[in-house]
């Protein structure tokens, strides 16, 4: 088993991972930027190392300093969390080269599945249904040819994409060229790689993803699916498990996800993402890391996914077999962001003057904030997640509403009321929503009192 793990991340996910390590008797090393010296993850780890200045480029993306910190503190493994270096194959390879265990799949697997265009090719090989589109990255000319075949609307997507960036919709043929260069430019700025591919835009789909776990001994299992259709600009806002899909579709998706994982000899936790409409389900990408929304799956299965990641990385067999995985009740997660929805969701870092978190059966608050903590302006605006577990979907919705009503975060604007507006919306309650829900109802969702 692992004895000492370095956590190459910050915020709520760093705290989440440190807690899992402590519960397993594993020592922890936190790393932090100058701006994060008072952060919760620094306080609760056994040891903490400053790895650089405020910007992510200087610190949480600084591979050399992170590897040095691991070597100097005797950490035998690095957990990358999500975002930052979590899907960076160069970093995973660097870890392999210096004999540090990267808690995730091998560098070669990240390479294959992290390039979204390449991943689609592999999925076609594995007989997993994918969204129709180009066969890999395209030049302008090749893209135009694909458009002739599949028609509009279509999407131009960055093969290095993530977090909803590097993506452009084309509704009319004449707009293709402009969108092509815009997507390339955004991809270059965000991911330093400007390759793009083209796929059909599935109109009004649901985003459904399947969580999988795999160990080094060929055992692969799924932990069911999550519905992450409530999105703003292709970024998830509310997630839940299970979804409302028919049992037969769910089962076909589980099978496809396991086939996908087996095809690339996948090891550790991963997620296969699909868009789903009346005609079927289509692979869009695989995330080769722990995801933000993993707690909803933990709530309905009782399985600690980070613990399984640590066990698998330490060379153990998965603790569960497929028949041990049973789903109970319904779980919902909302992402709490330091942002002001009424000012076009402008980030709102600053001092938390007061924090009050309600407690109760089936209520979980994953965050790194505390009273008197100042949220630095340099990183992602997500500051925490509220997760609830209920007997049924309606029960979970009610529990989430009452939890948000009681949650107090004073000092900065957050999206808390905006989230409540979604939870009150009759279409959301009925389950009549798809990835266009927020855009379609935005005006109404912003009518809360401040
Ligand atoms: P997921 O599929 O897990 O939602 P995304 O592709 O949306 O993942 O991106 C990963 C997540 O990582 C984002 O939701 C975002 O909240 C988080 N993230 C990205 N960059 C940072 C950062 N600099 N600090 C904290 N979290 C980040
Ligand atoms: P990222 O790496 O940024 O997470 P994804 O490929 O997972 O990118 O897409 C993000 C979101 O964009 C999806 O959850 C979905 O809402 C939307 N999307 C992506 N591809 C398609 C598609 N072909 N048709 C319709 N919506 C799509
Ligand atoms: Mg995605």
């Amino acid at each position: 088993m692992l004895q000492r793990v370095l956590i190459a991340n910050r915020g709520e996910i760093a705290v989440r991972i440190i807690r899992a390590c402590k519960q397993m008797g594993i020592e922890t090393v936190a790393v932090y930027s100058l701006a994060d010296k008072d952060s919760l993850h620094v306080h609760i780890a056994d040891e903490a190392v400053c790895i650089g200045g405020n910007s992510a480029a200087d610190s949480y993306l600084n591979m050399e300093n992170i590897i040095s910190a691991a070597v100097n503190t005797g950490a035998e493994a690095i957990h990358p969390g999500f975002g930052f270096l979590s899907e960076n194959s160069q970093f995973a390879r660097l870890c392999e080269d210096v004999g540090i265990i990267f808690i995730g799949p091998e560098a070669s697997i990240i390479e294959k599945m992290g390039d979204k265009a390449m991943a689609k090719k592999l999925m076609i090989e594995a007989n997993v249904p994918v969204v129709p589109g180009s066969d890999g990255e395209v030049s302008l000319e090749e893209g135009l040819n694909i458009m002739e075949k599949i028609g509009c609307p279509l999407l131009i997507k960055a093969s290095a994409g993530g977090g909803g960036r590097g993506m452009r919709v084309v509704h009319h043929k004449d707009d293709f060229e402009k969108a092509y260069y815009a997507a390339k430019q955004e991809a270059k700025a965000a991911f330093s790689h400007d390759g793009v591919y083209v796929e059909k835009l599935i109109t009004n789909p649901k985003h459904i993803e399947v969580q999988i776990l795999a160990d080094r001994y060929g055992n692969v299992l799924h932990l069911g699916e999550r519905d992450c259709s409530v999105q703003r600009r292709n970024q998830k806002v509310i997630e839940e498990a299970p979804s409302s899909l028919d049992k037969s579709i769910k089962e076909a998706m589980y099978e496809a996800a396991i086939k996908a994982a087996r095809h690339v000899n996948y090891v550790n936790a991963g997620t296969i993402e699909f868009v789903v409409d009346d005609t079927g389900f289509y692979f869009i990408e695989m995330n080769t890391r722990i995801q933000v929304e993993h707690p909803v799956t933990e709530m309905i299965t009782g399985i600690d996914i980070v613990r399984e990641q640590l066990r698998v990385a330490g060379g153990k067999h998965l603790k569960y077999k497929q028949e041990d995985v049973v789903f109970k009740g319904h779980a919902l997660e909302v992402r709490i962001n330091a942002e002001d929805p009424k000012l076009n969701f402008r980030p709102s870092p600053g001092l938390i003057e007061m924090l009050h978190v309600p407690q109760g059966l089936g209520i979980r608050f994953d965050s790194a904030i505390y009273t008197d903590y100042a949220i630095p302006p340099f990183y992602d605006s997500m500051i925490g997640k509220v997760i609830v577990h209920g007997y049924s979907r309606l029960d979970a919705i009610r529990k989430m509403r009452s939890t948000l009503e009681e949650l107090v975060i004073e000092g900065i604007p957050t999206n808390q009321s905006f989230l409540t507006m979604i939870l009150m919306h009759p279409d959301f309650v009925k389950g009549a929503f798809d990835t266009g829900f927020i855009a379609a109802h935005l005006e109404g969702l912003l009518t809360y009192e401040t």
Side-chain angles (χ1 to χ4, degrees), residues 158 160 165-166 181-196:
R165 277 173 302 167
Y181 287 114
K184 262 182 131 49
Q185 198 180 6
E186 190 173 305
K188 179 96 192 159
F191 316 110
S192 326
H193 173 77
D194 71 352
V196 296

Side-chain angles (χ1 to χ4, degrees), residues 9-10 56 82-84 162-164 209 235-236 239 273 285 287 289-293 335 379-380 382:
N9 214 298
R10 64 180 303 280
F82 54 65
F84 299 125
E209 57 188 37
Q235 272 261 34
K236 299 157 190 169
E239 303 100 342
E273 297 192 332
E285 69 158 340
N287 287 154
R289 53 170 167 84
I290 189 81
Q291 270 186 308
V292 174
E293 56 274 20
R335 299 187 184 196
Y379 316 104
D380 194 81
M382 192 182 75

